[in-house]
């Protein structure tokens, strides 16, 4: 098996299709209830990054044929941001336990080392072989999130309507498909910043930006990657402040299941029914805007009881745990080289 650096921008359509086919084999083995990926904007999904970030990719393929002419059996990406690297790895289920996954992690870890990065992290899904694999390589568990999934076919829309209208006087709810308008970005960023500043009531957990320009860059990057954002805001009418927000993204690659990003209520505006109202309003809007959408998935820290309670009231069902593992790059490289 050959592992080579791979650029999705210049990859052939056949390579992209082969990668998607292998990814879907991985999903069928590890997450059989998750939707398969479609070969729609996958190239852009793999290539586009935020300003100042880089993504480097490698593929594993049959070394008996010319480069790019065989099936993609494995894939690893290394996202370099800040002072840490983030890995995403998958290997065709038929080729697991043969050292291919370790080979892919090794090539990415060596690059992180050469780039001067001190740590590397990766997500591992509970109930899959990834847990034992990363622990065997010396990764340590840093964080645990619980994934929950809502089936729109099971939503009690009458109860949801009550939640959507249960906002205290003095607030209004606004809906923005595609993301908030430019004139609201500063207030939007301020709400995110206040929620991150010493607040142990974690929001729904997904990528987050708390700077106006970075928010704009983030929205632009989402669109280029084929991820359509939807935003619902609660506005405090007297001050014009963004008192709460919820973000959701519908990926072109699996448009029947959406990903929840942040849901935030600024501390001084809590207790007014904002969290339930904005998330309920989002679901009503999606029912019209995305008729092909069947499910929404969200991730929460296990200690975030308030958001877990809101999600349960909306109809989300607990699915499985997701773990973030981390490793010191130098130690990881030494460990992997000693096993070559």
């Amino acid at each position: 098996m050959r592992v080579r650096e791979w650029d999705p921008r210049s990859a052939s359509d056949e390579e992209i299709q082969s990668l998607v086919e292998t990814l879907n084999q991985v999903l069928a083995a590890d997450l059989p209830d998750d939707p398969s990926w479609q070969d729609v904007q996958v190239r852009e999904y793999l290539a586009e990054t935020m300003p100042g970030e880089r993504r480097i990719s490698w593929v594993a393929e049959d070394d008996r044929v010319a480069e790019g002419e065989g099936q993609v059996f494995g894939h690893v990406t290394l996202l370099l941001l800040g002072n840490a690297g983030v890995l995403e790895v998958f290997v065709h289920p038929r080729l697991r336990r043969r050292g291919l996954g370790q080979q892919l992690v090794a090539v990415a870890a060596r690059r992180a080392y050469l780039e001067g990065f001190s740590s590397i992290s990766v997500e591992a899904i509970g109930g899959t072989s990834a847990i034992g694999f990363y622990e065997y390589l010396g990764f340590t568990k840093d964080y645990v999130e619980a994934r929950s999934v809502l089936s729109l076919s099971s939503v009690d829309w009458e109860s949801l309507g009550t939640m959507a209208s249960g906002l205290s006087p003095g607030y209004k709810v606004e809906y923005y498909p595609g993301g908030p308008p430019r004139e609201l970005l500063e207030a939007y960023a301020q709400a995110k910043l206040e929620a991150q500043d010493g607040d142990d009531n974690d929001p729904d957990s997904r990528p987050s930006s708390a700077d106006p320009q970075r928010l704009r860059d983030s929205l632009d990057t989402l669109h280029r990657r084929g991820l359509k954002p939807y935003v619902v805001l609660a506005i405090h009418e007297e001050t014009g402040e963004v008192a709460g927000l919820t973000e959701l993204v519908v990926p072109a690659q699996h448009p029947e299941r959406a990903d929840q990003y942040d849901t935030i209520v600024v501390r001084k505006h809590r207790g007014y029914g904002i969290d339930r109202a904005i998330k309920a309003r989002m679901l009503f809007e999606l029912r019209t805007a995305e008729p092909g959408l069947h499910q929404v998935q969200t991730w929460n820290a296990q200690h975030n009881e308030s958001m877990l309670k809101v999600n349960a009231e909306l109809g989300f069902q607990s699915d499985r745990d997701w773990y973030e593992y981390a490793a010191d790059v130098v130690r990881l490289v030494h460990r992997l080289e000693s096993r070559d």
Side-chain angles (χ1 to χ4, degrees):
M1 197 65 64
R2 174 176 57 233
V3 174
R4 64 178 173 90
E5 192 167 334
W6 181 79
D7 187 349
R9 294 177 181 84
S10 58
S12 67
D13 291 342
E14 290 76 16
E15 285 180 281
I16 296 292
Q17 183 179 6
S18 178
L19 182 143
V20 171
E21 289 171 355
T22 293
L23 173 58
N24 283 333
Q25 290 293 320
V26 171
L27 288 172
D30 294 343
L31 294 166
D33 294 329
D34 280 31
S36 297
W37 274 45
Q38 303 175 17
D39 186 0
V40 179
Q41 290 188 258
V42 173
R43 187 188 306 276
E44 294 80 4
Y45 180 86
L46 295 171
E48 295 292 342
T49 60
M50 289 277 287
E53 298 177 359
R54 288 181 293 143
R55 182 180 286 109
I56 309 170
S57 300
W58 295 262
V59 293
E61 60 188 4
D62 192 336
D63 57 8
R64 296 171 296 183
V65 299
E67 288 186 2
E69 295 185 3
Q71 182 177 350
V72 174
F73 290 108
H75 179 250
V76 59
T77 67
L78 173 65
L79 179 64
L80 299 173
L81 66 166
N83 61 353
V86 179
L87 285 179
E88 291 185 7
V89 186
F90 65 81
V91 172
H92 196 292
R94 193 172 71 243
L95 295 177
R96 289 175 177 174
R97 301 186 183 277
R98 299 187 187 182
L100 182 55
Q102 184 170 312
Q103 191 178 352
L104 289 167
V105 172
V107 72
R110 291 189 190 105
R111 176 61 65 87
Y113 172 77
L114 292 174
E115 297 276 354
F117 285 76
S118 59
S119 65
I120 199 167
S121 64
V122 66
E123 280 190 345
I125 303 168
T128 70
S129 59
I131 301 297
F133 171 72
Y134 289 114
E135 290 181 351
Y136 170 75
L137 295 184
F139 284 77
T140 56
K141 190 186 303 179
D142 267 3
Y143 193 71
V144 182
E145 291 180 320
R147 184 177 79 164
S148 300
V149 178
L150 171 68
S151 174
L152 295 182
S153 64
S154 66
V155 169
D156 182 341
W157 294 102
E158 183 176 349
S159 295
L160 202 72
T162 301
M163 294 184 201
S165 60
L167 198 61
S168 296
Y171 296 92
K172 62 180 179 179
V173 174
E174 298 178 351
Y175 162 67
Y176 295 105
R182 187 174 296 275
E183 61 268 20
L184 280 176
L185 282 180
E186 186 170 350
Y188 191 92
Q190 184 61 35
K192 288 200 167 197
L193 185 62
E194 289 184 24
Q196 292 178 8
D197 187 15
D199 190 351
D200 60 1
N201 184 17
D202 294 338
D204 285 313
S205 299
R206 286 292 90 186
S208 180
S209 298
D211 170 83
Q213 184 55 51
R214 189 162 178 82
L215 273 171
R216 172 53 57 193
D217 292 339
S218 178
L219 289 165
D220 291 343
T221 302
L222 287 174
H223 284 288
R224 292 197 304 270
R225 297 185 78 200
L227 309 175
K228 185 176 181 180
Y230 291 88
V231 172
V232 172
L233 305 180
I235 305 295
H236 186 236
E237 294 181 302
E238 182 178 348
T239 63
E241 295 175 343
V242 173
L245 61 94
T246 189
E247 308 163 329
L248 186 142
V249 167
V250 177
Q253 298 80 19
H254 52 90
E256 62 268 43
R257 180 180 287 194
D259 296 325
Q260 175 78 60
Y261 280 23
D262 278 347
T263 299
I264 290 171
V265 179
V266 175
R267 183 182 295 276
K268 66 181 179 180
H269 296 290
R270 292 177 186 165
Y272 298 101
I274 290 174
D275 45 9
R276 289 170 180 80
I278 57 178
K279 294 195 76 168
R281 171 69 178 274
M282 176 70 81
L283 294 175
F284 272 111
E285 296 292 352
L286 288 173
R287 186 167 61 162
T288 301
E290 295 284 345
L293 184 67
H294 303 307
Q295 296 173 316
V296 177
Q297 60 186 2
T298 187
W299 291 259
N300 297 98
Q302 293 178 326
H303 67 266
N304 188 1
E305 295 181 2
S306 61
M307 191 57 68
L308 289 169
K309 181 181 179 182
V310 169
N311 287 337
E313 292 173 356
L314 292 167
F316 282 85
Q317 299 292 317
S318 178
D319 179 45
R320 63 171 74 201
D321 288 338
W322 290 56
Y323 302 91
E324 182 173 305
Y325 280 84
D328 177 86
V329 169
V330 173
R331 292 178 183 173
L332 178 61
V333 169
H334 286 167
R335 180 186 292 264
L336 291 168
E337 287 180 347
S338 69
R339 294 177 178 176
D340 285 346

